[in-house]
Amino acid sequence: MTDVARLAGVSHQTVSRVLNGHPNVREQTRLRVRAAIAELGYRPNGAARALVTGRSQVIGVVAQNTTLYGPASLLAALEQTAAAEGFAVSVGSVRDLDHRSISAAVERHLAHRVAGIVVIAPVESAGEALERLPKDVPLVTVDGDPHRPVPLVTVDQVSGARAVTRHLLDAGHRTVWHVSGPSDWFDSAGRIEGWREALLAVGIDPPPLMHGDWSAASGYRCGQMLARMPEVTAIFTANDHLALGVLRALHEFGRRVPAEISVVGFDDVPEAAYFIPPLTTVRPDFDAVARASLQMLLTQIESGNGGGALRQTIAPTLVVRDSVAPPRR
């Protein structure tokens, strides 16, 4: 920083003000300092800054080691959003989201003096661990347990499932069958709740639930059973990969989509528009979840207070394509 100040012909304090975005610096001076930084290839020392300020520019993220579209998309969105705010992201991947794994990952982050921690916690086993974490650590959970007193940002799974179920009912179907995700996932529970609410709201008793596990193979197995049932005219799957498996099974049994059976999914994976037929689905706004999570975390960091029971729910969007049609008379 001293070298930059000497080349730019300003004080050490002026360089510091420019680096920290201080408004009380003339634009001409700011440009001269930036030019000196570029010429010298200067990069601020994050470790030294953390020692001076007591706060690093790193956000610690705890996430399950998975390639599932939802958690992976959330992680990517968090990294991009943090970078836009001047923060780096350190990811602690764990095999299982249980108390021991989450606690160990959080301790590793704290040892590196991260500014705050985000935990992507979509399963029930993560709940107990989050309540036991130190209360003075800035913390936000994403897609976590809505019934626990920890700061939470989540996609509104219930409203998304309700909207896509109503879409099928509005097309004229008398009922909607559901292929769910794993029973210990909050996303799965919310989508079941929204599906049931939409049916009960119009006086329809929900048909038996079909249990899946997020995979196309699981959807295929459930689809083989549903394809044999002539009364089935509409299927809502808890994610798009389940829908892909269902579509394969219906095709093999000669059940045409959407002429005989309508199928909808959830997540709007990039391939959903290229399924045969293109899939009607629900699109979560992962970027909005990331922005809300980071803002909630930064508020805690700046105030020095915990987040308490803060909640923010992000509404998803129904994406209508060609996999839904009125039932045959």
Side-chain angles (χ1 to χ4, degrees), residues 16 48 79 107 118 125 153 188 254 281 325:
S16 178
E79 289 181 309
E107 287 301 323
V118 176
S125 59
V153 179
S188 179
T281 184

Side-chain angles (χ1 to χ4, degrees), residues 31-299:
L31 292 173
R32 196 161 68 247
V33 171
R34 290 293 181 191
I37 287 172
E39 182 176 339
L40 294 173
Y42 170 74
R43 294 183 181 86
N45 187 321
R49 178 179 293 181
L51 288 172
V52 173
T53 65
R55 191 186 94 186
S56 75
Q57 293 297 111
V58 179
I59 301 295
V61 176
V62 179
Q64 191 170 22
N65 186 10
T66 178
T67 58
L68 287 172
Y69 179 73
S73 298
L74 277 171
L75 181 57
L78 281 168
E79 289 181 309
Q80 293 170 4
T81 304
E85 294 289 338
F87 284 84
V89 168
S90 174
V91 181
S93 296
V94 296
R95 173 177 290 184
D96 300 303
L97 285 168
D98 54 21
H99 174 63
R100 175 181 294 181
S101 301
I102 291 177
S103 297
V106 168
E107 287 301 323
R108 288 195 296 272
H109 282 317
L110 294 179
H112 288 89
R113 302 183 64 172
V114 297
I117 294 175
V118 176
V119 182
I120 302 175
V123 296
E124 293 178 358
S125 59
E128 181 184 357
L130 295 173
E131 284 194 11
R132 294 187 181 183
L133 294 180
K135 301 302 181 185
D136 59 342
V137 176
L139 171 74
V140 172
T141 61
V142 177
D143 281 353
D145 188 344
H147 304 296
R148 291 185 182 271
V150 292
L152 172 67
V153 179
T154 184
V155 173
D156 192 340
Q157 313 291 347
V158 176
S159 72
R162 192 189 299 125
V164 77
T165 304
R166 284 175 179 167
H167 181 67
L168 289 166
L169 295 175
D170 290 344
H173 296 277
R174 293 184 176 182
T175 192
V176 178
W177 293 71
H178 182 47
V179 180
S180 76
S183 60
D184 61 337
W185 280 65
F186 301 119
D187 292 2
S188 179
R191 294 168 197 181
I192 292 171
E193 182 180 346
W195 163 71
R196 283 181 171 152
E197 282 185 4
L199 294 177
L200 292 171
V202 293
I204 299 172
D205 289 330
L209 188 66
M210 309 290 289
H211 296 280
D213 65 4
W214 298 135
S215 70
S218 174
Y220 178 71
R221 291 191 295 271
C222 293
Q224 287 178 311
M225 291 184 280
L226 292 167
R228 293 183 170 94
M229 302 163 63
E231 68 272 24
V232 175
T233 67
I235 303 171
F236 163 38
T237 64
N239 77 346
D240 294 346
H241 290 104
L242 286 166
L244 180 61
V246 167
L247 289 172
R248 168 69 182 270
L250 295 176
H251 172 74
E252 290 182 353
F253 276 80
R255 303 291 300 273
R256 293 177 298 159
V257 179
E260 296 179 57
I261 300 182
S262 293
V263 178
V264 299
F266 205 110
D267 277 346
D268 194 28
V269 299
E271 300 83 7
Y274 301 95
F275 287 4
I276 300 177
L279 185 68
T280 292
T281 184
V282 177
R283 178 185 298 155
D285 192 340
F286 296 119
D287 289 337
V289 172
R291 288 193 299 270
S293 302
L294 192 63
Q295 189 56 55
M296 189 179 290
L297 189 67
L298 292 179
T299 299

